[in-house]
Amino acid sequence: MRIAIIGGGISGLVAAYRLRQRLGTEADIVVLEQRARVGGVLHTGELAGEPLDLGAEAFVGRRPEVIELMTELGIADQLVRPAGKRPLVWAQGAAHPLPGRTLMGIPSEAESLRGLVDDATLARVAAEPQRAFDWTPGADVDVHSLVADRFGPQVVERSVDPLLGGVYAGTSASIGVRAALPTLAAALDRGARSLTDAVREALPPPSTAPVFGGLRDGYGALLAALTTASAARLVTTLAATRVATAPRGWVVDPIGLVDAVVLATPAPATARLLHHVSPVAAAAAGEIDLSSSALVAMALPLATGLPDNSGILVATGEPLRAKAFTLSSRKWPHLGAREVALVRASFGRFGDEAPLSWSDEELVAAAVADLTTVTGTEIAPLQSVVQRWPGGLPQYAPGHTDRIATLEAAVADLDGLAVAGAYLHGVGVPACVASGTAAAERIASALTSTVE
């Protein structure tokens, strides 16, 4: 039997690996990818002669999917943990500690915001539980509307937006509460009497366990192990792909007849591929927007005076071009052992794709100037590398969960077809691993039941 997996990102590669596990060595598993390489927005480049991730660089370590996958693939020794340093927030021309005990920047108490917002905002946050609060169970709004109404715009701009910008390359105005903050939505649905109460209920219990994990040699190590273990045939640099139904299976250009298909593509590409196959699913996928970003990675002299923090997030409205800096050598002990200091500067948010049009020289100059501003020290890169991510991350806008429910219900009626990807149930790598696994299980179950 032959299965086509369209999209060679982490979701597609996991689907290929899981299908190999279920179907054995005889299955012909073909991964089709438009780029010249697999991995999608996971990409390990090289800086100062050693590997460095130029896309995602961490995963939520409290979810089991990535760590379990690494163990299965025999690369558990690649697991590294961050140093546990806190990031800073740059707001009103100064650096502030990131508030503690927040839910994606939404505070659970006023005192954590002291110094970051003004006294009037502190008083507003403290008094929020006493204000009348109305929430309709099942409702969905953008995060900005909810938080600004209850806590004021400064909380959104200086605490919430910087964190959401890092996760989604978006802003609170482009992200819905229900999909991005499901535990908060659940607390609100259960009748929380205030936003403060809902945040406190939604926060995970305090833990000393590391929140994040990474790979010593970058995500390239995971991608290589998946590619080898899946033993899939790779077809890369495709200009376009088409999918159509056939009397006994599916027809996928350019490889022809297949028994099943996994669409592990970004939402707009999924919409295009499903246009004639399932107009309802295609319409739902087509409503999901993507954000774009650019990254500048810099190798600096070890003596550069960087703060002893994991990074610096930039509040909305600041006269800087970068939205965040990852102080990689401070954040990751294994990178701190190198002979240079490593910093990653991120640019671009949803609705602002201008940084992608800047030249490499302009992006590096902006990174140097902004990092000089926020650190107060001279920044003189020994080497730099630029990576652009057009359409890199889906935006989980209000109504996202309903759109995905509609899409998945429509796809459920298509025998031998499954979908996977970051636009479904989470943009993080663990969620993508789960997505690829679920797609493979659907296909394998359908194929094995047909054979039986």
Side-chain angles (χ1 to χ4, degrees):
M1 64 182 66
R2 175 188 285 183
I3 304 99
I5 299 173
I6 304 176
I10 185 66
S11 301
L13 292 180
V14 169
Y17 168 61
R18 296 299 186 199
L19 283 166
R20 180 64 68 201
Q21 287 181 306
R22 283 291 307 272
L23 303 178
T25 59
E26 298 303 312
D28 182 15
I29 301 172
V30 187
V31 175
L32 298 95
E33 168 58 46
Q34 66 174 357
R35 291 184 175 97
R37 60 168 184 84
V38 296
V41 296
L42 301 185
H43 176 49
T44 303
E46 184 179 288
L47 184 62
E50 296 193 71
L52 184 71
D53 279 319
L54 301 178
E57 48 115 37
F59 58 85
V60 176
R62 291 177 180 171
R63 286 190 59 156
E65 291 90 348
V66 176
I67 294 174
E68 290 178 354
L69 181 62
M70 291 170 64
T71 301
E72 285 182 42
L73 294 169
I75 59 169
D77 61 338
Q78 284 279 341
L79 177 64
V80 291
R81 298 291 194 175
K85 301 179 189 297
R86 296 282 293 171
L88 300 170
V89 178
W90 183 262
Q92 297 294 288
H96 307 266
L98 183 73
R101 296 297 290 165
T102 72
L103 188 69
M104 197 62 75
I106 307 175
S108 58
E109 49 93 18
E111 192 60 30
S112 68
L113 300 169
R114 186 169 299 278
L116 181 62
V117 300
D118 62 24
D119 289 343
T121 299
L122 280 178
R124 182 171 179 172
V125 174
E128 191 268 341
Q130 282 71 56
R131 290 172 51 207
F133 182 59
D134 182 41
W135 175 266
T136 302
D140 198 10
V141 298
D142 64 88
V143 177
H144 184 282
S145 295
L146 176 64
V147 179
D149 175 63
R150 302 301 298 179
F151 292 150
Q154 288 185 14
V155 175
V156 175
E157 294 164 359
R158 302 178 192 179
S159 184
V160 180
D161 273 350
L163 285 165
L164 282 175
V167 176
Y168 294 97
T171 69
S172 56
S174 67
I175 302 298
V177 170
R178 191 159 296 276
L181 300 166
T183 59
L184 179 64
L188 293 170
D189 288 348
R190 286 192 295 267
R193 293 176 296 180
S194 67
L195 181 56
T196 300
D197 287 348
V199 170
R200 290 173 178 171
E201 184 179 336
L203 279 170
S207 172
T208 57
V211 176
F212 297 106
L215 282 90
R216 184 186 65 244
D217 296 327
Y219 273 113
L222 177 60
L223 300 174
L226 276 172
T227 302
T228 299
S230 71
R233 290 196 291 129
L234 301 180
V235 180
T236 57
T237 62
L238 292 176
T241 307
R242 290 185 297 170
V243 174
T245 56
R248 297 183 62 184
W250 298 82
V251 175
V252 176
D253 283 341
I255 64 172
L257 185 66
V258 298
D259 296 286
V261 182
V262 175
L263 303 182
T265 43
T270 302
R272 177 180 60 79
L273 292 167
L274 290 173
H275 180 70
H276 296 293
V277 175
S278 175
V280 172
E287 293 177 0
I288 300 170
D289 291 319
L290 303 181
S291 64
S292 299
S293 60
L295 181 139
V296 177
M298 297 178 287
L300 310 176
L302 272 179
T304 303
L306 300 175
D308 192 24
N309 297 89
S310 62
I312 306 168
L313 309 176
V314 179
T316 299
E318 293 297 306
L320 299 178
R321 289 155 292 183
K323 67 177 182 182
F325 298 93
T326 304
L327 306 180
S328 303
S329 295
R330 300 282 195 257
K331 181 175 181 179
W332 299 101
H334 71 290
L335 297 180
R338 295 187 181 178
E339 296 180 355
V340 292
L342 300 170
V343 177
R344 297 173 7 137
S346 300
F347 296 83
R349 286 189 173 97
F350 179 66
D352 178 19
E353 298 193 357
L356 272 75
S357 67
W358 301 347
S359 67
D360 287 3
E361 292 75 16
E362 289 171 321
L363 280 166
V364 172
V368 168
D370 286 356
L371 187 58
T372 298
T373 296
V374 300
T375 62
T377 192
E378 181 182 355
I379 302 299
L382 302 171
Q383 188 180 341
S384 60
V385 61
V386 172
Q387 177 69 50
R388 293 172 178 80
W389 294 113
L393 284 172
Q395 297 298 285
Y396 279 33
H400 184 82
T401 54
D402 291 338
R403 282 187 283 277
I404 297 306
T406 298
L407 186 157
E408 292 183 326
V411 168
D413 294 331
L414 302 175
D415 292 335
L417 186 142
V419 293
Y423 67 92
L424 292 170
H425 300 290
V427 299
V429 177
C432 290
V433 171
S435 173
T437 298
E441 183 60 34
R442 169 174 161 82
I443 295 300
S445 296
L447 291 177
T448 53
S449 64
T450 300
V451 171
E452 294 169 357

